[in-house]
Amino acid sequence: DLPTPPPPPLHPATHEPVGPDDLAPLFPPELIAQEVTTERHVEIPAAVRDVYRQYRPSPLVRARRWEQKLGTSARIYYKYEGVSPAGSHKTNTSVPQVYYNAINGITRLTTETGAGQWGTALAYACALFGVECEVWQVGASYDSKPQRRTLIEVFGGTVHRSPSALTEFGKGFDVDHPGSLGIAITEAVELAAQDESTKYALGSVLNHVLLHQTVIGEEAVLQLAKAGEAGADLVIGCAGGGSNFAGLAFPFLREKLAGRQDPRIVAVEPSSCPTLTRGEYRYDFGDTGGMTPLMKMYTLGHDFVPSTIHAGGLRYHAMAPLVSHVAHEGLIEAVALHQSECFETATEFARTEGIVAAPESSHALAQARRAAVAAAESGEEPVIVVGLSGHGLLELGAYDTFLHGRLEDDPLSDDDLATSLAAVPEVR
């Protein structure tokens, strides 16, 4: 569907395009095939559909009380992924990833997690298919979100604080280092590469993960039509690694490219980790240790360690290659917001719609609020579709910080950005 093909991932040593053999130590063959497929649609296995039936289709809800509060002429719909067993969109990809590993005889999966939604989702899926789950959680989130850690353990997963002393890479950091998703990825990849019965599972960024998440947008396109709307005028999602955003936005982008709808599509990121808005579109590693292939993406540099904002799922140094590609081609827009505005909006949303949004989702809500207020001033009546990627019932500590005036915005300085980008490899 895209007017230009995305650049291929490159081998870190040769800078040649990677092949299936390069990915085989980490992923089963079905996921490798999905990573490179040019098919428009990929069949969802029956075993995966059986799990999806627990919570899919997720609801598309008209936010009427929020509209009234804002006095807007806009019609706001939110696609709510908090109904999944893990409380977020992450279950959409954890289930097929574990399924494909299980049918290939894999008995253990390693992974990273930020705020904990991905670790929770993978632990749940591993429990369903009898696979061990070992999670490296970013240190700042591990320290501040003990309930999420407990939930991972309830589902049968094992959680380590990252950086850890369990890996050679992790031993190179101070024990109180706040960590990053890039560091946690390196630790999980290091362990997976040492054991033939172990593979690695990634919760975002890669093509097959984005593919699994498009079930969100596919449903939303049909649900919007059932609600009597001709289409969306504005589609908004929060963006960290990119899977939640792509899951909602890519089916609408397909409709846009086909001429059936013409929405503006906006990715919203935190000002402290402004990958799309201030990063550079370059080949870089997906992890801090440089163990992954080089991918063409918007990046702040694989050494980048973001501030300890409450939206832990948005603290990634780069953006999914496919999301980066469509942003570079001008097919989507991006904006960065401060977390204080996002929590203020999320609190208003909770008091009108009755849902406590995940801190990540609050970024999308804040941008939707801006659009709704603009519509109230102009008198226009746009149809706004916003991704609500999960609930924040295990993030009440973050809301407590906001409600008691202790929340601080921490935008990325030019000097820190320049230092981080200096480590990005030169690829010609």
Side-chain angles (χ1 to χ4, degrees):
D1 293 283
L2 295 174
T4 55
L10 304 180
H11 192 284
T14 65
H15 290 185
E16 295 294 324
V18 299
D21 291 343
D22 297 313
L23 301 175
L26 296 180
F27 305 111
E30 292 85 355
L31 293 181
I32 295 173
Q34 291 178 6
E35 190 67 19
V36 299
T37 184
T38 56
E39 295 296 321
R40 183 174 283 112
H41 296 100
V42 176
E43 184 69 19
I44 303 174
V48 175
R49 288 177 181 266
D50 285 342
V51 180
Y52 280 177
R53 287 190 184 97
Q54 293 179 325
Y55 65 100
R56 304 218 69 88
S58 66
L60 181 74
V61 183
R62 174 84 179 269
R64 294 183 183 275
R65 290 182 178 84
W66 195 30
E67 292 173 8
Q68 292 171 3
K69 171 71 174 178
L70 297 174
T72 183
S73 50
R75 298 192 293 281
I76 307 172
Y77 295 84
Y78 58 91
K79 180 66 167 165
Y80 185 42
E81 292 296 300
V83 295
S84 83
S88 78
H89 68 291
K90 295 290 189 179
T91 315
N92 300 332
T93 185
S94 70
V95 173
Q97 286 195 50
V98 176
Y99 166 76
Y100 289 124
N101 277 283
I103 63 174
N104 281 278
I106 299 304
T107 59
R108 181 175 69 151
L109 285 172
T110 65
T111 196
E112 78 296 325
T113 196
Q117 289 97 331
W118 169 239
T120 302
L122 190 67
Y124 173 69
C126 283
L128 295 180
F129 293 102
V131 177
E132 294 181 34
C133 178
E134 196 161 0
V135 180
W136 273 260
Q137 185 172 18
V138 173
S141 293
Y142 182 95
D143 297 338
S144 63
K145 304 178 190 298
Q147 294 87 358
R148 181 69 68 175
R149 188 167 74 243
T150 300
L151 185 56
I152 294 172
E153 293 171 343
V154 167
F155 284 139
T158 301
V159 191
H160 309 295
R161 188 188 189 281
S162 175
S164 76
L166 299 173
T167 66
E168 291 304 313
F169 187 72
K171 291 176 183 176
F173 296 88
D174 294 335
V175 293
D176 59 349
H177 192 284
S180 71
L181 282 168
I183 294 171
I185 290 171
T186 301
E187 293 203 89
V189 169
E190 180 183 320
L191 265 291
Q194 297 173 1
D195 185 353
E196 291 185 356
S197 65
T198 301
K199 297 286 188 185
Y200 167 71
L202 186 62
S204 191
V205 178
L206 296 179
N207 296 349
H208 67 266
V209 183
L210 274 57
L211 169 71
H212 300 158
Q213 293 294 355
T214 56
V215 66
I216 301 171
E218 294 286 17
E219 289 178 358
V221 168
L222 297 176
Q223 289 169 320
L224 200 62
K226 288 187 71 174
E229 303 289 1
D233 297 303
L234 179 61
V235 177
I236 305 171
C238 64
S243 69
N244 155 75
F245 171 76
L248 174 67
F250 278 9
F252 283 97
L253 178 56
R254 177 198 62 215
E255 297 300 294
K256 182 183 180 79
L257 292 170
R260 292 186 288 265
Q261 297 186 33
D262 189 27
R264 287 179 56 221
I265 301 174
V266 180
V268 191
E269 57 189 8
S271 59
S272 60
C273 194
T275 309
L276 285 169
T277 52
R278 293 178 63 193
E280 295 184 357
Y281 187 51
R282 299 171 59 178
Y283 273 102
D284 196 9
F285 296 105
D287 69 317
T288 302
M291 298 182 67
T292 65
L294 290 162
M295 296 176 285
K296 189 72 173 289
M297 53 192 177
Y298 281 96
T299 180
L300 301 172
H302 59 275
D303 285 341
F304 178 70
V305 178
S307 65
T308 55
I309 61 168
H310 287 290
L314 304 184
R315 297 176 69 245
Y316 185 56
H317 69 272
M319 189 58 63
L322 278 177
V323 174
S324 296
H325 179 65
V326 297
H328 189 257
E329 294 295 305
L331 299 174
I332 66 169
E333 305 168 31
V335 64
L337 300 180
H338 293 302
Q339 63 176 352
S340 56
E341 177 184 351
C342 300
F343 273 95
E344 182 178 353
T345 300
T347 303
E348 179 182 78
F349 184 81
R351 293 171 183 176
T352 52
E353 295 299 317
I355 295 174
V356 178
E360 293 80 8
S361 306
S362 72
H363 290 68
L365 291 175
Q367 184 63 23
R369 188 186 193 281
R370 287 186 173 192
V373 170
E377 295 172 350
S378 68
E380 296 178 346
E381 300 180 1
V383 173
I384 302 172
V385 178
V386 57
L388 191 55
S389 59
H391 67 65
L393 296 179
L394 294 179
E395 311 289 344
L396 295 181
Y399 279 88
D400 180 75
T401 300
F402 167 73
L403 292 170
H404 290 87
R406 300 190 303 272
L407 190 72
E408 296 181 359
D409 292 323
D410 191 12
L412 177 62
S413 71
D414 291 338
D415 288 345
D416 287 344
L417 176 59
T419 299
S420 182
L421 286 172
V424 177
E426 292 291 338
V427 177
R428 302 187 185 281

